[in-house]
Amino acid sequence: MNPETVLKTNPMLAWREIDGSIVIISPEHSMVHELNPTASFVWKRVDGRRTADEIAEQLAAEFDVTRESALADVHELVESLVANQLVSALELAEVKAHV
Amino acid sequence: MSRTTHVMDDLILRTVERHLPFSVHLDLTYRCNERCVHCYLDHEDYGEMTTEEVKRVLDELAEAGTLFLTLSGGEIFLRQDFFELLEYARALHFDVSLKTNALLITPERARRLKELGVRKIQVSIYSADPEIHDGITMVPGSLRRSIEAMRLVKSLGLVATIACPLMKQNLTAYRSVLLLAEELDVPYVLDLTITPMMDGNHSTVNHRVKAQDLLPVLRDSKLNPKLRISPMASVSSDSAVSSGMPLPAESDDLPCSAGHNTCYISPYGEVFPCVQLPVAAGNVRQKKFEDIWYRSPEMRRVEAIRESQLTHCGNCSIRIYCERCPGLALMEGGDLMGAYERACEMAEMNARLAGAESPVSAFHAFQAASGSLSSRGLRPIATGLISIAPMRTV
């Protein structure tokens, strides 16, 4: 994943933090997803401004994991979120063009 | 069981255990552009919450952990600020469902609903025969307009459902509603419950079909899930009115989700465990929602009720065939913990249809033993800890 890739949640989703975990409803597909605490940490930082690498840095600082491990985990998670249409990955240039 | 069902069951259980208000039904107005003969509402406006008040409630619900939000009425599209509120709710990431008669859904409004990510739109349809439907709504042309609106929202990819409360006027028309649902390719709910009005007036109950006359419907295995259950199975049913959550089998000692992980808020800000359970727990105009949800004595009392504590129903042998509703137990039987005639009648009929020989509810057995069978429906109101409260605080 390009380090300049910015992550944005799908605006059609409904979601809430329930008991420490993010629960996501996808109205278009009638699907419910529940994220584990680490994935929930990442989800709460997907704001259309941060890149996956920036979120991984925060994950490494918050949890007792190396930067490399956090990067690998976040990239794997983001790929899964993108594949499930929960998150879209935008190039930084694309984001700047819309500002 | 699908993975989605499993995840939802698990979430429902956890939110019940943690007493989180997972699903909230918010009526934005009691005003309506139809005058349905069986409606339980007073359509006058006695001072609905303002736009800013509703937004504050939505903020508080989001903070409290509410995910599922049902916006209903009255007719929601009569609120001039409806789309402002919907947009606000979606910005707070609620999963939004709507209950409407759809008369005011225009192509532009339908597109806006789609853009804003509304998950489901429930429309009330009483018959595929305009004479019957329009006779119930008292609005000529209402069936045609509701169906047109359903076709419109469906064409945009929105999920629409039909809700059809069955009453004397449309009992024989239920098959036509099923055919219409098939033609429109939408799910449907047939609801046999006609409730008293929220202010305690029982005149609407006159429209209710006698239990005996419901036999053709109850015999229809396509409609009646109770015909397909084994004696050990757990059942749940949908309602056209309430927005409670079906509880998983593990919660079988709870009467329903009301007050456990669901509640109702009126257009005047009053909080109740359910739209059909008129136990006023507080008003969001005076207190924060969380104070009412977690600390009001009324909500705590309802949350504490367990099936095993119910006066007669707790040890009734045909309980699995029963649709007992705590709100109706209070409104019709006068006791939140008690039995009521309609539920017992329906349970006995369902049990008989499922093959039980001479089924008798525990309540009827008690009445027979105490020689009071002839006074069914005239029982003195029990002195429970909770009394019927008026719906409005005006």
Side-chain angles (χ1 to χ4, degrees):
Chain A
M1 184 176 291
N2 184 332
E4 297 247 300
T5 299
V6 168
L7 306 173
K8 188 172 180 286
T9 54
N10 178 346
M12 298 304 278
L13 303 174
W15 57 272
R16 189 72 68 225
E17 186 170 3
I18 307 282
D19 207 14
S21 297
I22 296 292
V23 175
I24 305 163
I25 306 290
S26 167
E28 286 172 311
H29 308 103
S30 290
M31 290 293 287
V32 53
H33 308 263
E34 185 172 10
L35 306 183
N36 68 25
T38 320
S40 298
F41 178 92
V42 173
W43 178 269
K44 286 190 278 184
R45 283 153 185 81
V46 173
D47 58 1
R49 292 191 297 273
R50 291 181 173 102
T51 64
D53 288 15
E54 285 169 340
I55 295 173
E57 296 279 359
Q58 294 181 338
L59 187 73
E62 181 76 19
F63 294 87
D64 190 19
V65 289
T66 63
R67 185 176 173 278
E68 289 69 30
S69 171
L71 269 173
D73 285 354
V74 168
H75 282 205
E76 190 185 341
L77 170 68
V78 167
E79 278 167 21
S80 164
L81 294 174
V82 170
N84 282 288
Q85 298 174 37
L86 304 179
V87 159
S88 48
L90 310 166
E91 296 308 312
L92 195 55
E94 218 180 316
V95 177
K96 283 177 180 166
H98 284 90
V99 174
Chain B
M1 184 184 284
S2 73
R3 187 178 168 274
T4 301
T5 310
H6 173 73
V7 173
M8 271 311 294
D9 279 354
D10 183 52
L11 279 166
I12 291 170
L13 275 178
R14 277 160 45 205
T15 50
V16 165
E17 280 165 15
R18 297 291 305 272
H19 186 45
L20 294 172
F22 198 31
S23 174
V24 172
H25 177 154
L26 171 60
D27 274 352
L28 294 174
T29 180
Y30 286 158
R31 288 174 288 132
C32 195
N33 49 356
E34 290 185 339
R35 283 293 176 272
C36 300
V37 294
H38 64 291
C39 184
Y40 54 91
L41 294 174
D42 174 349
H43 297 301
E44 288 298 315
D45 176 2
Y46 295 95
E48 295 166 358
M49 284 189 283
T50 63
T51 309
E52 292 313 310
E53 284 176 317
V54 176
K55 286 182 178 177
R56 187 171 48 73
V57 172
L58 294 173
D59 287 335
E60 291 180 7
L61 292 176
E63 198 180 329
T66 301
L67 175 57
F68 296 101
L69 179 70
T70 301
L71 297 178
S72 181
E75 176 45 49
I76 46 177
F77 288 99
L78 286 176
R79 280 217 44 153
Q80 297 301 309
D81 58 359
F82 173 73
F83 278 100
E84 183 179 346
L85 295 174
L86 177 60
E87 195 170 341
Y88 195 83
R90 287 293 296 126
L92 290 169
H93 312 301
F94 286 104
D95 172 280
V96 178
S97 298
L98 308 178
K99 294 189 183 203
T100 172
N101 58 37
L103 296 188
L104 298 174
I105 295 183
T106 59
E108 191 189 336
R109 284 175 169 167
R111 272 194 299 276
R112 194 81 186 105
L113 295 176
K114 175 68 179 171
E115 284 166 9
L116 286 170
V118 167
R119 184 168 59 86
K120 190 173 75 174
I121 302 170
Q122 179 184 292
V123 180
S124 303
I125 301 283
Y126 303 103
S127 168
D129 179 344
E131 220 171 283
I132 297 174
H133 177 94
D134 297 355
I136 289 172
T137 65
M138 313 277 274
V139 177
S142 55
L143 176 65
R144 179 183 51 77
R145 290 165 63 192
S146 290
I147 292 175
E148 278 174 10
M150 288 192 80
R151 290 191 203 282
L152 177 62
V153 297
K154 278 279 293 177
S155 72
L156 294 175
L158 282 155
V159 173
T161 67
I162 286 179
C164 177
L166 278 179
M167 63 199 99
K168 287 176 183 168
Q169 288 86 336
N170 68 340
L171 177 63
T172 55
Y174 81 90
R175 279 260 162 205
S176 75
V177 175
L178 305 195
L179 290 173
L180 177 64
E182 277 173 24
E183 186 213 321
L184 294 171
D185 191 24
V186 298
Y188 56 84
V189 174
L190 288 183
D191 191 346
L192 308 181
T193 313
I194 300 294
T195 62
M197 292 183 75
M198 280 178 155
D199 60 6
N201 182 325
H202 276 58
S203 59
T204 50
V205 177
N206 294 332
H207 299 286
R208 187 183 278 174
V209 181
K210 283 182 194 160
Q212 279 297 329
D213 297 340
L214 282 169
L215 269 171
V217 182
L218 296 175
R219 280 199 182 112
D220 194 330
S221 60
K222 194 174 174 186
L223 301 175
N224 188 359
K226 300 227 170 339
L227 292 180
R228 299 194 294 272
I229 62 174
S230 69
M232 296 308 289
S234 167
V235 294
S236 63
S237 64
D238 286 322
S239 163
V241 178
S242 82
S243 301
M245 306 206 85
L247 294 175
E250 292 89 333
S251 308
D252 63 356
D253 201 28
L254 303 181
C256 66
S257 64
H260 291 276
N261 67 348
T262 64
C263 74
Y264 166 73
I265 304 177
S266 82
Y268 309 116
E270 300 146 303
V271 181
F272 299 85
C274 171
V275 65
Q276 292 188 147
L277 183 43
V279 176
N283 194 307
V284 286
R285 281 172 153 164
Q286 285 134 24
K287 284 182 180 175
K288 281 196 75 174
F289 172 78
E290 287 201 5
D291 285 338
I292 299 168
W293 176 257
Y294 287 111
R295 287 177 274 283
S296 82
E298 295 84 2
M299 205 61 90
R300 293 182 75 103
R301 166 75 177 129
V302 170
E303 192 208 351
I305 297 172
R306 294 291 177 274
E307 280 277 306
S308 49
Q309 302 166 335
L310 300 179
T311 313
H312 298 288
C313 314
N315 56 6
C316 180
S317 62
I318 58 169
R319 181 72 180 96
I320 57 166
Y321 299 102
C322 179
E323 294 285 355
R324 179 187 184 276
C325 160
L328 290 176
L330 179 61
M331 286 192 279
E332 299 196 18
D335 183 1
L336 190 59
M337 306 287 288
Y340 57 101
E341 184 56 33
R342 177 74 169 188
C344 292
E345 271 184 343
M346 295 295 291
E348 287 169 2
M349 202 175 295
N350 274 319
R352 210 172 294 123
L353 286 169
E357 275 185 38
S358 309
V360 179
S361 74
F363 175 49
H364 282 169
F366 167 80
Q367 285 180 318
S370 59
S372 63
L373 203 57
S374 61
S375 67
R376 275 187 196 176
L378 296 174
R379 290 177 306 120
I381 289 179
T383 50
L385 291 176
I386 293 173
S387 59
I388 296 178
M391 201 64 186
R392 286 185 277 103
T393 51
V394 292

